[in-house]
Amino acid sequence: MIKVFITDDHQSFKEGLIAYLKSDPEIEVVGHAQNGKEALQAVAVEPIDVMLLDVDMPEMNGEETLIAIKKNKPEVKVLILTSLNDKPLIDSLRKNGAEGFRSKESGITDISNAIKRIHQGYIDYLVHNDDKPNRITIRYTGSHLSPQEIKVIKHLAEGNSTKVTAELMRLSVHTIESHCKIARAKTGAKNVAELVAIAIRQGVV
């Protein structure tokens, strides 16, 4: 069972979501809160797998709460649920470690599926731009890219070849290829093009 905690100050939305999720045999709703401060108190004592988190809340907003959760309980996955659809905000949430993003206008079944995906280790964002949904779904192992790996990816993202990247970094081609291989293993990328795409989507480069 996936242990889910819901933090949202909109009572009717929260009650409807709880009622639906309780009918899912794979999910257990272990609690709920009105704001970030209450959520952090729960995270400190409750075994939580996935935190559903609103952004616009009193006392402590969702982004502040996300940062605190990732600092103190990084194993807790966070799915952002909000009526806001601001690109800089979404980029910031992703950089601060949120594994998923859904608009509150999303279907409740899709929210349930998103919970399961991020619990399995995926980054899963569904963002609506000009009424056109754009899904970002990435397999994520939890391993962080090293500064050297990030430098290599940045050079590749700029269109440089492995050979040119090696010259720019004053390293051997073999070393650059090794960095790429390790970075692909960490991100689950099948090739260099997918590695660069994942790094861009995660805000690494």
Side-chain angles (χ1 to χ4, degrees), residues 18-151:
I18 290 172
Y20 179 83
L21 293 179
K22 282 187 174 179
S23 68
D24 191 315
E26 296 180 47
I27 293 173
E28 178 186 2
V29 179
V30 296
H32 55 87
Q34 292 285 109
N35 57 61
K37 287 185 177 179
E38 293 179 2
L40 292 181
Q41 291 172 355
V43 165
V45 297
E46 293 278 354
I48 298 169
D49 296 316
V50 179
M51 170 73 72
L52 272 55
L53 192 59
D54 189 12
V55 173
D56 189 13
M57 298 183 294
E59 295 191 51
M60 188 176 192
N61 68 40
E63 188 164 16
E64 293 170 335
T65 307
L66 167 66
I67 292 169
I69 290 173
K70 291 303 175 182
K71 179 181 179 181
N72 300 308
K73 289 280 186 175
E75 68 274 14
V76 175
K77 307 292 178 63
V78 177
L79 173 62
I80 299 293
L81 290 178
T82 180
S83 55
L84 304 175
N85 196 32
D86 180 68
K87 188 179 185 301
L89 171 64
I90 294 168
D91 289 342
S92 181
L93 292 167
R94 192 162 60 217
K95 287 178 181 178
N96 283 316
E99 284 82 7
F101 179 94
R102 285 295 185 278
S103 166
K104 285 187 175 180
E105 297 177 1
S106 299
I108 202 160
T109 302
D110 182 55
I111 293 173
S112 174
N113 289 336
I115 290 170
K116 295 169 187 176
R117 275 193 289 270
I118 68 172
H119 182 253
Q120 291 169 355
Y122 286 85
I123 301 293
D124 195 345
Y125 278 62
L126 183 59
V127 181
H128 293 264
N129 295 315
D130 300 323
D131 298 323
K132 295 180 181 179
N134 176 32
R135 183 188 295 277
I136 299 172
T137 306
I138 307 167
R139 182 68 178 178
Y140 180 64
T141 64
S143 300
H144 297 291
L145 295 172
S146 71
Q148 197 79 326
E149 289 159 3
I150 291 171
K151 286 180 182 179

